[in-house]
Amino acid sequence: MLNQGTMTLIDLANPTRFLALTARVLPWLAGATVILLAIGLYQAALAPDDYQQGATVKIMFIHVPNAWLSMFVWGVMSLASLGTLVWRHPLADVAAKAAAPIGAAFTFLALVTGSLWGRPMWGTYWEWDARLTSVLILFLMYLGLIALWRAVEDPSRAARAAAVLTLVGAINLPIIKFSVDWWNTLHQPASVVRMGGSTLDRSFLIPLLVMAIGFTLLFLTLHLAAMRNEILRRRVRSLQMMQASRQAA
Amino acid sequence: MSLGPYASFIVTSYLSAAVVIAVLIAWVAIDYGSQKRRLRQLEEGGVARRSGRSATDFK
Protein backbone atom coordinates (compact mmCIF):
# COMPACT_ATOMS: atom_id res chain seq x y z
CA MET A 1 0.00 0.00 0.00
CA LEU A 2 2.76 2.42 1.02
CA ASN A 3 4.65 1.67 -2.17
CA GLN A 4 1.49 2.23 -4.22
CA GLY A 5 0.90 5.57 -2.51
CA THR A 6 4.49 6.64 -3.13
CA MET A 7 4.21 5.68 -6.79
CA THR A 8 1.05 7.77 -7.13
CA LEU A 9 2.79 10.84 -5.71
CA ILE A 10 5.73 10.34 -8.06
CA ASP A 11 3.32 9.87 -10.96
CA LEU A 12 1.74 13.24 -10.16
CA ALA A 13 5.08 14.96 -10.79
CA ASN A 14 4.43 14.17 -14.47
CA PRO A 15 2.32 17.08 -15.83
CA THR A 16 0.51 14.86 -18.36
CA ARG A 17 -0.58 12.44 -15.60
CA PHE A 18 -1.54 15.41 -13.43
CA LEU A 19 -3.73 16.75 -16.28
CA ALA A 20 -5.40 13.34 -16.66
CA LEU A 21 -6.13 13.23 -12.92
CA THR A 22 -7.45 16.82 -13.00
CA ALA A 23 -9.84 15.97 -15.86
CA ARG A 24 -11.30 13.14 -13.77
CA VAL A 25 -11.46 14.95 -10.41
CA LEU A 26 -12.63 18.47 -11.41
CA PRO A 27 -16.31 17.64 -12.18
CA TRP A 28 -16.70 15.89 -8.80
CA LEU A 29 -15.00 18.72 -6.91
CA ALA A 30 -17.11 21.34 -8.68
CA GLY A 31 -20.29 19.38 -7.91
CA ALA A 32 -19.40 19.00 -4.22
CA THR A 33 -18.60 22.74 -4.05
CA VAL A 34 -22.00 23.74 -5.48
CA ILE A 35 -23.87 21.37 -3.12
CA LEU A 36 -22.01 22.52 0.02
CA LEU A 37 -22.30 26.23 -0.80
CA ALA A 38 -26.03 25.80 -1.54
CA ILE A 39 -26.55 24.05 1.84
CA GLY A 40 -24.41 26.69 3.58
CA LEU A 41 -26.33 29.59 2.02
CA TYR A 42 -29.65 27.98 2.95
CA GLN A 43 -28.51 27.52 6.57
CA ALA A 44 -27.10 31.06 6.65
CA ALA A 45 -30.45 32.44 5.46
CA LEU A 46 -32.26 30.54 8.25
CA ALA A 47 -29.75 31.43 11.00
CA PRO A 48 -31.24 33.62 13.76
CA ASP A 49 -30.18 37.23 14.34
CA ASP A 50 -27.39 37.73 16.85
CA TYR A 51 -28.43 39.49 20.07
CA GLN A 52 -25.78 42.19 19.53
CA GLN A 53 -25.11 42.22 15.75
CA GLY A 54 -28.68 41.60 14.60
CA ALA A 55 -28.92 40.36 10.98
CA THR A 56 -25.42 41.66 10.12
CA VAL A 57 -24.14 38.38 11.59
CA LYS A 58 -25.04 36.91 8.16
CA ILE A 59 -22.03 38.79 6.70
CA MET A 60 -19.82 36.60 8.91
CA PHE A 61 -20.84 33.49 6.92
CA ILE A 62 -18.90 34.83 3.92
CA HIS A 63 -16.36 37.06 5.69
CA VAL A 64 -14.88 34.35 7.93
CA PRO A 65 -14.40 31.69 5.16
CA ASN A 66 -12.72 34.30 2.94
CA ALA A 67 -10.50 35.52 5.77
CA TRP A 68 -9.52 31.91 6.57
CA LEU A 69 -8.79 31.17 2.92
CA SER A 70 -6.71 34.34 2.51
CA MET A 71 -4.20 32.80 4.95
CA PHE A 72 -4.70 29.15 3.90
CA VAL A 73 -3.87 29.95 0.25
CA TRP A 74 -0.64 31.71 1.28
CA GLY A 75 0.14 28.62 3.37
CA VAL A 76 -0.38 26.41 0.29
CA MET A 77 1.87 28.74 -1.72
CA SER A 78 4.54 28.57 1.01
CA LEU A 79 4.54 24.74 0.89
CA ALA A 80 4.73 24.91 -2.92
CA SER A 81 7.64 27.37 -2.61
CA LEU A 82 9.50 24.83 -0.46
CA GLY A 83 8.77 22.32 -3.23
CA THR A 84 10.34 24.71 -5.74
CA LEU A 85 13.45 25.59 -3.73
CA VAL A 86 14.18 22.33 -1.87
CA TRP A 87 12.74 19.44 -3.93
CA ARG A 88 12.56 21.20 -7.33
CA HIS A 89 9.20 19.54 -7.93
CA PRO A 90 8.07 20.29 -11.50
CA LEU A 91 4.54 21.22 -10.43
CA ALA A 92 5.46 23.22 -7.30
CA ASP A 93 5.87 26.56 -9.07
CA VAL A 94 2.79 25.86 -11.18
CA ALA A 95 0.80 25.34 -7.96
CA ALA A 96 2.10 28.55 -6.34
CA LYS A 97 1.57 30.72 -9.43
CA ALA A 98 -1.96 29.36 -10.03
CA ALA A 99 -2.96 29.97 -6.38
CA ALA A 100 -1.89 33.63 -6.16
CA PRO A 101 -4.79 35.32 -8.06
CA ILE A 102 -7.31 33.11 -6.24
CA GLY A 103 -5.76 34.00 -2.86
CA ALA A 104 -5.79 37.68 -3.79
CA ALA A 105 -9.51 37.45 -4.65
CA PHE A 106 -10.36 35.78 -1.31
CA THR A 107 -8.30 38.38 0.60
CA PHE A 108 -10.04 41.19 -1.30
CA LEU A 109 -13.42 39.69 -0.35
CA ALA A 110 -12.35 39.35 3.30
CA LEU A 111 -11.43 43.06 3.35
CA VAL A 112 -14.60 44.20 1.53
CA THR A 113 -17.05 42.11 3.57
CA GLY A 114 -15.21 43.04 6.79
CA SER A 115 -15.59 46.74 5.93
CA LEU A 116 -19.27 46.27 5.11
CA TRP A 117 -19.76 44.61 8.50
CA GLY A 118 -17.62 47.22 10.30
CA ARG A 119 -19.62 50.27 9.14
CA PRO A 120 -22.85 49.37 10.98
CA MET A 121 -21.12 47.60 13.91
CA TRP A 122 -18.04 49.78 14.59
CA GLY A 123 -19.27 52.95 12.92
CA THR A 124 -16.39 52.91 10.39
CA TYR A 125 -15.47 51.06 7.21
CA TRP A 126 -11.80 51.02 8.10
CA GLU A 127 -9.54 51.24 11.13
CA TRP A 128 -5.75 50.97 11.05
CA ASP A 129 -5.69 48.26 13.71
CA ALA A 130 -3.24 45.34 13.66
CA ARG A 131 -5.60 42.71 12.19
CA LEU A 132 -7.00 44.87 9.38
CA THR A 133 -3.62 46.34 8.49
CA SER A 134 -1.84 42.95 8.43
CA VAL A 135 -4.56 41.52 6.12
CA LEU A 136 -4.22 44.57 3.85
CA ILE A 137 -0.45 43.89 3.72
CA LEU A 138 -1.24 40.25 2.79
CA PHE A 139 -3.42 41.51 -0.10
CA LEU A 140 -0.62 43.82 -1.31
CA MET A 141 1.86 40.90 -1.10
CA TYR A 142 -0.43 38.79 -3.33
CA LEU A 143 -0.51 41.63 -5.88
CA GLY A 144 3.30 41.98 -5.66
CA LEU A 145 3.79 38.27 -6.34
CA ILE A 146 1.42 38.32 -9.33
CA ALA A 147 3.34 41.35 -10.69
CA LEU A 148 6.67 39.52 -10.18
CA TRP A 149 5.49 36.46 -12.14
CA ARG A 150 4.32 38.73 -14.96
CA ALA A 151 7.50 40.83 -14.99
CA VAL A 152 10.04 37.98 -15.29
CA GLU A 153 9.72 36.18 -18.63
CA ASP A 154 11.79 33.07 -17.82
CA PRO A 155 9.49 30.83 -15.67
CA SER A 156 12.36 29.14 -13.76
CA ARG A 157 13.93 32.48 -12.73
CA ALA A 158 10.52 33.86 -11.77
CA ALA A 159 9.81 30.67 -9.80
CA ARG A 160 12.88 31.01 -7.56
CA ALA A 161 12.35 34.73 -6.89
CA ALA A 162 8.65 34.22 -6.18
CA ALA A 163 9.37 31.24 -3.88
CA VAL A 164 11.79 33.28 -1.75
CA LEU A 165 9.32 36.19 -1.57
CA THR A 166 6.47 33.83 -0.63
CA LEU A 167 8.46 32.24 2.20
CA VAL A 168 9.50 35.67 3.55
CA GLY A 169 5.86 36.78 3.31
CA ALA A 170 4.75 33.74 5.35
CA ILE A 171 6.03 35.62 8.43
CA ASN A 172 2.85 37.69 8.09
CA LEU A 173 0.58 34.65 8.72
CA PRO A 174 1.20 34.29 12.49
CA ILE A 175 1.12 38.09 12.77
CA ILE A 176 -2.40 38.09 11.24
CA LYS A 177 -3.56 35.14 13.37
CA PHE A 178 -2.26 36.42 16.72
CA SER A 179 -2.57 40.18 16.10
CA VAL A 180 -5.82 40.22 18.08
CA ASP A 181 -4.01 38.67 21.09
CA TRP A 182 -0.72 40.59 20.86
CA TRP A 183 -2.19 44.06 20.43
CA ASN A 184 -5.26 45.90 21.61
CA THR A 185 -7.36 45.83 18.42
CA LEU A 186 -10.86 46.87 17.40
CA HIS A 187 -11.19 43.46 15.73
CA GLN A 188 -12.65 40.86 18.10
CA PRO A 189 -10.45 37.94 19.31
CA ALA A 190 -10.70 34.42 17.83
CA SER A 191 -14.09 32.80 18.46
CA VAL A 192 -14.03 29.65 16.27
CA VAL A 193 -10.50 28.20 16.39
CA ARG A 194 -9.27 28.86 19.93
CA MET A 195 -8.05 27.09 23.05
CA GLY A 196 -11.07 25.87 25.01
CA GLY A 197 -13.30 25.47 21.95
CA SER A 198 -15.55 27.72 19.94
CA THR A 199 -17.60 30.41 21.69
CA LEU A 200 -20.21 30.38 18.91
CA ASP A 201 -23.69 28.95 19.35
CA ARG A 202 -24.43 25.90 17.14
CA SER A 203 -27.00 27.89 15.15
CA PHE A 204 -24.11 30.08 13.88
CA LEU A 205 -21.25 27.59 14.06
CA ILE A 206 -22.76 24.90 11.77
CA PRO A 207 -23.60 27.23 8.81
CA LEU A 208 -20.20 28.87 9.26
CA LEU A 209 -18.37 25.53 9.08
CA VAL A 210 -20.43 24.37 6.07
CA MET A 211 -19.64 27.64 4.26
CA ALA A 212 -15.96 27.36 5.22
CA ILE A 213 -15.75 23.81 3.79
CA GLY A 214 -17.70 24.93 0.68
CA PHE A 215 -15.31 27.86 0.08
CA THR A 216 -12.30 25.58 0.66
CA LEU A 217 -13.64 23.16 -1.99
CA LEU A 218 -14.21 26.18 -4.27
CA PHE A 219 -10.55 27.08 -3.83
CA LEU A 220 -9.43 23.49 -4.58
CA THR A 221 -11.61 23.41 -7.73
CA LEU A 222 -10.36 26.76 -9.02
CA HIS A 223 -6.78 25.93 -8.06
CA LEU A 224 -6.72 22.63 -9.95
CA ALA A 225 -8.31 24.30 -12.99
CA ALA A 226 -5.82 27.21 -12.85
CA MET A 227 -2.90 24.72 -12.51
CA ARG A 228 -4.16 22.89 -15.61
CA ASN A 229 -4.23 26.24 -17.47
CA GLU A 230 -0.70 27.09 -16.30
CA ILE A 231 0.65 23.73 -17.55
CA LEU A 232 -0.99 24.38 -20.94
CA ARG A 233 0.47 27.94 -20.97
CA ARG A 234 3.97 26.49 -20.46
CA ARG A 235 3.38 24.01 -23.28
CA VAL A 236 2.38 26.93 -25.53
CA ARG A 237 5.59 28.74 -24.55
CA SER A 238 7.82 25.72 -25.26
CA LEU A 239 6.12 25.06 -28.63
CA GLN A 240 6.50 28.75 -29.55
CA MET A 241 10.23 28.54 -28.70
CA MET A 242 10.57 25.40 -30.85
CA GLN A 243 8.78 27.20 -33.68
CA ALA A 244 11.05 30.27 -33.33
CA SER A 245 14.25 28.18 -33.29
CA ARG A 246 13.03 26.22 -36.34
CA GLN A 247 12.34 29.46 -38.21
CA ALA A 248 15.76 30.86 -37.23
CA ALA A 249 17.59 27.72 -38.49
CA MET B 1 -36.43 36.55 6.42
CA SER B 2 -36.00 40.15 7.54
CA LEU B 3 -32.55 41.71 7.21
CA GLY B 4 -33.34 44.71 9.39
CA PRO B 5 -31.96 48.25 9.06
CA TYR B 6 -28.60 47.10 7.67
CA ALA B 7 -29.99 45.05 4.77
CA SER B 8 -28.01 47.05 2.19
CA PHE B 9 -24.69 46.10 3.89
CA ILE B 10 -25.66 42.40 3.99
CA VAL B 11 -26.91 42.30 0.39
CA THR B 12 -23.82 44.20 -0.88
CA SER B 13 -21.55 41.71 0.92
CA TYR B 14 -23.20 38.68 -0.70
CA LEU B 15 -23.38 40.41 -4.12
CA SER B 16 -19.69 41.36 -4.02
CA ALA B 17 -18.77 37.74 -3.15
CA ALA B 18 -20.95 36.47 -6.02
CA VAL B 19 -19.38 38.91 -8.51
CA VAL B 20 -15.77 38.16 -7.48
CA ILE B 21 -16.37 34.38 -7.61
CA ALA B 22 -18.09 34.70 -11.02
CA VAL B 23 -15.08 36.68 -12.31
CA LEU B 24 -12.70 33.98 -10.98
CA ILE B 25 -14.69 31.18 -12.66
CA ALA B 26 -14.90 33.16 -15.94
CA TRP B 27 -11.14 33.90 -15.84
CA VAL B 28 -10.29 30.20 -15.39
CA ALA B 29 -12.73 29.08 -18.12
CA ILE B 30 -11.66 31.74 -20.66
CA ASP B 31 -7.96 31.10 -19.99
CA TYR B 32 -8.48 27.33 -20.52
CA GLY B 33 -10.18 27.92 -23.88
CA SER B 34 -7.48 30.40 -24.91
CA GLN B 35 -4.55 28.05 -24.08
CA LYS B 36 -6.18 25.10 -25.88
CA ARG B 37 -6.84 27.25 -28.95
CA ARG B 38 -3.19 28.47 -29.03
CA LEU B 39 -1.91 24.88 -28.69
CA ARG B 40 -4.17 23.68 -31.51
CA GLN B 41 -2.99 26.53 -33.77
CA LEU B 42 0.67 25.70 -33.06
CA GLU B 43 0.10 21.99 -33.75
CA GLU B 44 -1.78 22.77 -36.95
CA GLY B 45 1.23 24.90 -37.94
CA GLY B 46 3.41 21.78 -37.77
CA VAL B 47 5.02 22.32 -34.33
CA ALA B 48 4.91 19.10 -32.28
CA ARG B 49 6.10 18.11 -28.81
CA ARG B 50 9.23 15.98 -28.60
CA SER B 51 7.11 13.08 -27.32
CA GLY B 52 5.01 13.33 -30.49
CA ARG B 53 1.83 13.42 -28.39
CA SER B 54 -0.76 16.16 -28.77
CA ALA B 55 -0.32 18.93 -26.18
CA THR B 56 -4.05 18.86 -25.46
CA ASP B 57 -4.20 15.07 -25.01
CA PHE B 58 -4.75 14.43 -21.28
CA LYS B 59 -5.43 10.69 -21.43
Side-chain angles (χ1 to χ4, degrees):
Chain A
M1 275 306 276
L2 183 65
N3 193 32
Q4 261 187 344
T6 312
M7 281 306 290
T8 308
L9 275 177
I10 292 167
D11 285 349
L12 282 181
N14 178 324
T16 301
R17 290 198 180 126
F18 177 81
L19 289 176
L21 175 85
T22 303
R24 283 201 302 275
V25 167
L26 265 181
W28 294 99
L29 259 180
T33 302
V34 170
I35 291 168
L36 267 171
L37 285 179
I39 295 170
L41 284 171
Y42 177 71
Q43 289 179 326
L46 294 184
D49 288 356
D50 180 71
Y51 81 105
Q52 278 182 320
Q53 303 176 39
T56 56
V57 72
K58 293 192 192 305
I59 297 176
M60 289 297 115
F61 299 126
I62 46 172
H63 170 71
V64 175
N66 280 294
W68 134 254
L69 277 170
S70 69
M71 292 194 288
F72 176 76
V73 175
W74 196 278
V76 168
M77 289 166 54
S78 301
L79 280 178
S81 298
L82 281 177
T84 298
L85 294 174
V86 180
W87 301 294
R88 297 179 189 276
H89 193 287
L91 289 180
D93 173 53
V94 170
K97 188 180 175 189
I102 307 169
F106 287 135
T107 311
F108 173 75
L109 276 178
L111 288 167
V112 168
T113 55
S115 289
L116 286 165
W117 180 88
R119 183 68 184 88
M121 291 299 105
W122 293 341
T124 178
Y125 284 108
W126 185 260
E127 182 68 36
W128 290 100
D129 90 347
R131 171 59 71 84
L132 276 65
T133 307
S134 53
V135 174
L136 178 64
I137 290 169
L138 180 70
F139 179 61
L140 296 176
M141 290 192 318
Y142 273 119
L143 297 187
L145 264 183
I146 294 167
L148 175 69
W149 265 304
R150 284 176 174 266
V152 183
E153 203 181 329
D154 177 8
S156 60
R157 277 184 59 214
R160 283 192 294 275
V164 171
L165 202 63
T166 304
L167 289 173
V168 172
I171 294 167
N172 195 28
L173 297 185
I175 294 176
I176 294 172
K177 168 71 183 153
F178 296 110
S179 56
V180 288
D181 303 320
W182 292 343
W183 295 287
N184 185 19
T185 62
L186 191 56
H187 196 284
Q188 60 270 46
S191 52
V192 182
V193 180
R194 60 186 285 278
M195 299 284 280
S198 166
T199 58
L200 290 185
D201 186 77
R202 282 172 60 87
S203 56
F204 301 120
L205 183 63
I206 291 172
L208 185 62
L209 290 178
V210 173
M211 288 292 277
I213 297 168
F215 268 95
T216 306
L217 287 180
L218 174 67
F219 163 66
L220 291 177
T221 307
L222 290 170
H223 190 214
L224 278 184
M227 282 180 72
R228 173 195 63 190
N229 294 354
E230 184 58 29
I231 291 169
L232 296 184
R233 194 181 341 276
R234 289 176 189 207
R235 285 186 176 177
V236 167
R237 186 174 185 274
S238 77
L239 289 185
Q240 283 173 333
M241 287 172 74
M242 281 170 67
Q243 188 182 39
S245 64
R246 191 186 293 174
Q247 284 166 351
Chain B
M1 180 179 61
S2 167
L3 295 179
Y6 303 119
S8 60
F9 293 96
I10 300 166
V11 171
T12 309
S13 294
Y14 278 79
L15 274 182
S16 58
V19 168
V20 170
I21 290 166
V23 168
L24 273 178
I25 292 169
W27 163 65
V28 167
I30 292 168
D31 191 27
Y32 180 55
S34 161
Q35 300 310 323
K36 280 190 83 165
R37 192 172 55 252
R38 290 167 74 189
L39 282 171
R40 250 195 318 272
Q41 285 168 350
L42 283 161
E43 286 178 339
E44 283 166 7
V47 192
R49 295 170 70 203
R50 276 187 285 272
S51 65
R53 297 180 63 182
S54 167
T56 53
D57 176 18
F58 302 163
K59 305 287 184 297

Coordinates of all heavy atoms in Angstrom, one line a residue, chain A residues 55-102:
Chain A
A55 N -29.0 41.2 12.2 CA -28.9 40.4 11.0 C -27.5 40.5 10.3 O -27.2 39.7 9.5 CB -30.0 40.8 10.0
T56 N -26.7 41.5 10.7 CA -25.4 41.7 10.1 C -24.5 40.5 10.4 O -23.5 40.3 9.7 CB -24.7 42.9 10.6 OG1 -24.6 42.9 12.0 CG2 -25.4 44.2 10.1
V57 N -24.9 39.6 11.3 CA -24.1 38.4 11.6 C -24.1 37.5 10.3 O -23.1 36.7 10.1 CB -24.7 37.6 12.8 CG1 -26.1 36.9 12.4 CG2 -23.7 36.5 13.3
K58 N -25.0 37.7 9.4 CA -25.0 36.9 8.2 C -23.8 37.2 7.3 O -23.4 36.4 6.5 CB -26.3 37.2 7.4 CG -27.6 36.7 8.1 CD -28.8 36.7 7.1 CE -30.1 36.4 7.9 NZ -30.1 35.2 8.7
I59 N -23.2 38.4 7.4 CA -22.0 38.8 6.7 C -20.9 37.9 7.1 O -20.0 37.5 6.3 CB -21.7 40.3 6.9 CG1 -22.8 41.2 6.4 CG2 -20.3 40.6 6.2 CD1 -22.6 42.7 6.6
M60 N -20.9 37.5 8.4 CA -19.8 36.6 8.9 C -19.7 35.3 8.2 O -18.6 34.7 8.1 CB -20.0 36.3 10.4 CG -19.8 37.5 11.3 SD -18.1 38.0 11.2 CE -18.3 39.6 10.5
F61 N -20.9 34.8 7.6 CA -20.8 33.5 6.9 C -20.0 33.5 5.6 O -19.7 32.5 5.1 CB -22.3 33.0 6.7 CG -23.1 32.8 7.9 CD1 -24.3 33.4 8.1 CD2 -22.6 32.0 8.9 CE1 -25.0 33.2 9.3 CE2 -23.3 31.8 10.1 CZ -24.5 32.4 10.3
I62 N -19.8 34.7 5.1 CA -18.9 34.8 3.9 C -17.6 35.5 4.3 O -16.5 35.2 3.7 CB -19.5 35.5 2.7 CG1 -20.2 36.8 3.1 CG2 -20.4 34.6 1.9 CD1 -20.7 37.6 1.9
H63 N -17.6 36.4 5.3 CA -16.4 37.1 5.7 C -15.3 36.1 6.3 O -14.2 36.1 5.9 CB -16.7 38.2 6.7 CG -15.4 38.8 7.3 ND1 -14.6 39.6 6.6 CD2 -14.9 38.6 8.6 CE1 -13.6 39.9 7.4 NE2 -13.8 39.4 8.6
V64 N -15.8 35.3 7.2 CA -14.9 34.3 7.9 C -14.3 33.3 7.0 O -13.0 33.1 7.0 CB -15.6 33.7 9.2 CG1 -14.7 32.6 9.8 CG2 -16.0 34.7 10.2
P65 N -15.0 32.6 6.1 CA -14.4 31.7 5.2 C -13.4 32.4 4.3 O -12.3 31.8 4.0 CB -15.6 31.1 4.3 CG -16.8 31.3 5.2 CD -16.5 32.5 6.0
N66 N -13.7 33.6 3.8 CA -12.7 34.3 2.9 C -11.5 34.7 3.7 O -10.4 34.7 3.2 CB -13.4 35.5 2.3 CG -14.2 35.1 1.1 OD1 -13.7 34.6 0.1 ND2 -15.5 35.2 1.2
A67 N -11.7 35.1 4.9 CA -10.5 35.5 5.8 C -9.6 34.3 6.0 O -8.4 34.4 6.0 CB -11.0 36.1 7.1
W68 N -10.3 33.1 6.3 CA -9.5 31.9 6.6 C -8.8 31.5 5.3 O -7.6 31.1 5.4 CB -10.5 30.8 7.1 CG -10.4 29.5 6.5 CD1 -11.3 28.9 5.7 CD2 -9.5 28.4 6.8 NE1 -10.9 27.7 5.3 CE2 -9.8 27.3 6.0 CE3 -8.3 28.4 7.6 CZ2 -9.1 26.1 6.0 CZ3 -7.6 27.2 7.6 CH2 -8.0 26.1 6.8
L69 N -9.4 31.6 4.2 CA -8.8 31.2 2.9 C -7.7 32.1 2.5 O -6.7 31.7 1.9 CB -9.8 31.1 1.8 CG -10.6 29.7 1.8 CD1 -11.7 29.8 0.8 CD2 -9.7 28.6 1.4
S70 N -7.8 33.4 2.9 CA -6.7 34.3 2.5 C -5.4 33.9 3.1 O -4.3 34.0 2.5 CB -7.1 35.8 3.0 OG -7.0 35.8 4.4
M71 N -5.4 33.3 4.3 CA -4.2 32.8 5.0 C -3.9 31.4 4.5 O -2.7 31.0 4.3 CB -4.4 32.8 6.5 CG -4.4 34.2 7.0 SD -4.2 34.2 8.8 CE -5.7 33.5 9.4
F72 N -4.9 30.6 4.3 CA -4.7 29.2 3.9 C -4.0 29.1 2.5 O -3.1 28.3 2.3 CB -6.1 28.4 3.9 CG -6.0 27.0 3.4 CD1 -5.5 26.0 4.2 CD2 -6.4 26.7 2.1 CE1 -5.4 24.7 3.7 CE2 -6.3 25.4 1.6 CZ -5.8 24.4 2.4
V73 N -4.4 30.0 1.6 CA -3.9 30.0 0.3 C -2.4 30.3 0.3 O -1.6 29.7 -0.4 CB -4.7 30.9 -0.7 CG1 -4.0 30.9 -2.1 CG2 -6.1 30.4 -0.8
W74 N -2.1 31.4 1.2 CA -0.6 31.7 1.3 C 0.1 30.5 1.9 O 1.3 30.3 1.5 CB -0.4 33.0 2.1 CG 0.9 33.6 1.9 CD1 2.1 33.2 2.5 CD2 1.3 34.6 1.0 NE1 3.1 33.9 2.0 CE2 2.7 34.8 1.1 CE3 0.6 35.4 0.1 CZ2 3.4 35.7 0.3 CZ3 1.3 36.3 -0.6 CH2 2.7 36.5 -0.5
G75 N -0.5 29.8 2.8 CA 0.1 28.6 3.4 C 0.4 27.6 2.3 O 1.5 27.0 2.3
V76 N -0.6 27.3 1.4 CA -0.4 26.4 0.3 C 0.8 26.9 -0.6 O 1.6 26.1 -1.0 CB -1.7 26.3 -0.5 CG1 -1.5 25.6 -1.8 CG2 -2.8 25.6 0.3
M77 N 0.8 28.2 -0.9 CA 1.9 28.7 -1.7 C 3.2 28.6 -1.0 O 4.3 28.4 -1.7 CB 1.6 30.2 -2.0 CG 0.4 30.4 -3.0 SD -0.2 32.1 -3.1 CE 1.3 33.0 -3.5
S78 N 3.3 28.7 0.3 CA 4.5 28.6 1.0 C 5.0 27.1 0.9 O 6.2 26.9 0.7 CB 4.4 28.9 2.5 OG 3.9 30.3 2.6
L79 N 4.1 26.2 1.0 CA 4.5 24.7 0.9 C 5.0 24.5 -0.5 O 6.1 23.8 -0.8 CB 3.3 23.8 1.2 CG 3.0 23.5 2.6 CD1 1.8 22.6 2.7 CD2 4.2 22.9 3.3
A80 N 4.3 25.1 -1.5 CA 4.7 24.9 -2.9 C 6.1 25.6 -3.1 O 6.9 25.0 -3.9 CB 3.7 25.5 -3.8
S81 N 6.3 26.7 -2.5 CA 7.6 27.4 -2.6 C 8.8 26.5 -2.1 O 9.9 26.5 -2.6 CB 7.6 28.7 -1.9 OG 6.6 29.5 -2.4
L82 N 8.5 25.8 -1.0 CA 9.5 24.8 -0.5 C 9.7 23.8 -1.5 O 10.9 23.3 -1.7 CB 9.0 24.2 0.8 CG 9.2 25.0 2.1 CD1 8.6 24.2 3.3 CD2 10.6 25.3 2.4
G83 N 8.7 23.3 -2.2 CA 8.8 22.3 -3.2 C 9.6 22.8 -4.4 O 10.4 22.1 -5.0
T84 N 9.5 24.1 -4.7 CA 10.3 24.7 -5.7 C 11.8 24.8 -5.3 O 12.7 24.4 -6.1 CB 9.8 26.1 -6.1 OG1 8.5 26.1 -6.5 CG2 10.7 26.8 -7.1
L85 N 12.1 25.3 -4.1 CA 13.4 25.6 -3.7 C 14.2 24.4 -3.2 O 15.4 24.2 -3.5 CB 13.5 26.7 -2.6 CG 13.0 28.1 -3.0 CD1 12.9 29.0 -1.8 CD2 13.9 28.7 -4.1
V86 N 13.5 23.5 -2.5 CA 14.2 22.3 -1.9 C 14.1 21.1 -2.8 O 15.1 20.5 -3.1 CB 13.6 22.0 -0.5 CG1 14.3 20.8 0.2 CG2 13.6 23.3 0.4
W87 N 12.9 20.7 -3.2 CA 12.7 19.4 -3.9 C 12.7 19.6 -5.4 O 12.7 18.7 -6.2 CB 11.5 18.7 -3.4 CG 11.5 18.4 -2.0 CD1 12.3 17.6 -1.3 CD2 10.7 19.0 -1.0 NE1 12.1 17.6 0.0 CE2 11.1 18.5 0.3 CE3 9.6 20.0 -1.0 CZ2 10.5 18.9 1.5 CZ3 9.1 20.4 0.2 CH2 9.5 19.8 1.4
R88 N 12.6 20.9 -5.9 CA 12.6 21.2 -7.3 C 11.5 20.4 -8.0 O 11.7 19.8 -9.1 CB 13.9 21.0 -8.0 CG 15.0 21.9 -7.5 CD 16.3 21.6 -8.1 NE 17.4 22.4 -7.5 CZ 17.7 23.7 -7.7 NH1 17.0 24.3 -8.6 NH2 18.6 24.3 -7.0
H89 N 10.3 20.3 -7.4 CA 9.2 19.5 -7.9 C 8.7 20.3 -9.1 O 8.4 21.5 -9.1 CB 8.1 19.4 -6.9 CG 7.0 18.4 -7.2 ND1 6.1 18.7 -8.2 CD2 6.8 17.2 -6.8 CE1 5.3 17.6 -8.3 NE2 5.7 16.7 -7.4
P90 N 8.5 19.6 -10.3 CA 8.1 20.3 -11.5 C 6.7 21.0 -11.4 O 6.5 22.0 -12.2 CB 8.0 19.2 -12.6 CG 8.0 17.9 -11.8 CD 8.7 18.2 -10.5
L91 N 5.8 20.6 -10.5 CA 4.5 21.2 -10.4 C 4.4 22.2 -9.3 O 3.4 22.9 -9.1 CB 3.4 20.2 -10.2 CG 3.1 19.3 -11.4 CD1 2.0 18.3 -11.1 CD2 2.7 20.2 -12.6
A92 N 5.5 22.4 -8.5 CA 5.5 23.2 -7.3 C 5.2 24.7 -7.7 O 4.3 25.4 -7.2 CB 6.7 23.1 -6.5
D93 N 6.0 25.2 -8.7 CA 5.9 26.6 -9.1 C 4.5 26.8 -9.8 O 3.9 27.8 -9.6 CB 7.0 27.0 -10.0 CG 6.8 28.3 -10.6 OD1 6.6 29.3 -9.8 OD2 6.8 28.5 -11.8
V94 N 4.1 25.8 -10.5 CA 2.8 25.9 -11.2 C 1.7 26.0 -10.1 O 0.8 26.9 -10.3 CB 2.5 24.6 -12.0 CG1 1.1 24.5 -12.5 CG2 3.5 24.5 -13.2
A95 N 1.8 25.3 -9.0 CA 0.8 25.3 -8.0 C 0.8 26.7 -7.3 O -0.2 27.3 -7.1 CB 1.1 24.3 -6.9
A96 N 2.0 27.2 -7.0 CA 2.1 28.5 -6.3 C 1.6 29.7 -7.2 O 0.8 30.5 -6.8 CB 3.5 28.8 -6.0
K97 N 2.0 29.7 -8.5 CA 1.6 30.7 -9.4 C 0.0 30.7 -9.7 O -0.6 31.7 -9.7 CB 2.3 30.6 -10.8 CG 2.1 31.7 -11.7 CD 2.8 31.6 -13.0 CE 2.5 32.7 -14.0 NZ 3.0 32.5 -15.3
A98 N -0.5 29.5 -9.8 CA -2.0 29.4 -10.0 C -2.8 29.8 -8.8 O -3.9 30.3 -9.0 CB -2.3 27.9 -10.4
A99 N -2.2 29.6 -7.6 CA -3.0 30.0 -6.4 C -3.0 31.5 -6.1 O -4.0 31.9 -5.5 CB -2.3 29.2 -5.2
A100 N -2.0 32.2 -6.6 CA -1.9 33.6 -6.2 C -3.1 34.5 -6.5 O -3.6 35.2 -5.6 CB -0.6 34.2 -6.7
P101 N -3.6 34.5 -7.8 CA -4.8 35.3 -8.1 C -6.0 34.9 -7.3 O -6.8 35.8 -6.9 CB -5.0 35.1 -9.6 CG -3.8 34.5 -10.1 CD -3.2 33.7 -9.0
I102 N -6.1 33.6 -7.0 CA -7.3 33.1 -6.2 C -7.2 33.6 -4.8 O -8.2 34.1 -4.2 CB -7.4 31.6 -6.3 CG1 -7.4 31.1 -7.8 CG2 -8.7 31.1 -5.6 CD1 -7.2 29.6 -7.9

